[in-house]
Amino acid sequence: MQPIYDKHQSHPAIVKRLKRADGHLRSVIEMIESERSCLDIAQQLHAVEKAIAQAKKTLIHDHLDHCLADATGGLDPTRRSEIDQFRTIAKYL
């Protein structure tokens, strides 16, 4: 069955990024098992770590941009402004 992405247009990109990170992680395991240099292993681990962190960041920002916006749409303008500021500052995480 094909997944349904309604509000979350970023989810296919997140899945693609995580699958790529999974492939890199499998490579790291093989590198360790074949006793490759620590420098090479550390570089690959860094790439895996960055890919996962970016996937997490994208997921959180997508949630803020869609789910939080939907949930707070009926707020008065003053309260809405505070939510919008929160969404904006969260982009710097």
Side-chain angles (χ1 to χ4, degrees):
M1 178 191 288
Q2 191 70 11
I4 299 172
Y5 301 107
D6 51 355
K7 292 187 282 187
H8 302 284
Q9 298 299 317
S10 67
H11 284 188
I14 292 170
V15 168
K16 184 177 178 181
R17 183 182 301 270
L18 290 173
K19 285 181 178 181
R20 192 175 318 123
D22 179 55
H24 285 295
L25 185 56
R26 290 174 194 269
S27 295
V28 169
I29 293 168
E30 290 173 13
M31 291 170 74
I32 292 170
E33 291 174 340
S34 65
E35 300 182 8
R36 295 272 305 269
S37 81
C38 291
L39 178 58
D40 290 343
I41 294 167
Q43 288 172 332
Q44 285 301 312
L45 279 172
H46 181 72
V48 170
E49 184 179 45
K50 295 296 269 183
I52 292 171
Q54 187 59 42
K56 179 180 80 170
K57 184 177 178 181
T58 301
L59 179 74
I60 291 168
H61 289 171
D62 182 66
H63 179 75
L64 290 173
D65 289 342
H66 294 97
C67 299
L68 187 59
D70 289 348
T72 60
L75 289 178
D76 68 74
T78 305
R79 300 302 302 187
R80 177 71 188 172
S81 173
E82 292 170 1
I83 297 296
D84 289 341
Q85 287 179 22
F86 174 73
R87 287 173 55 214
T88 299
I89 199 166
K91 296 202 185 286
Y92 297 104
L93 292 174

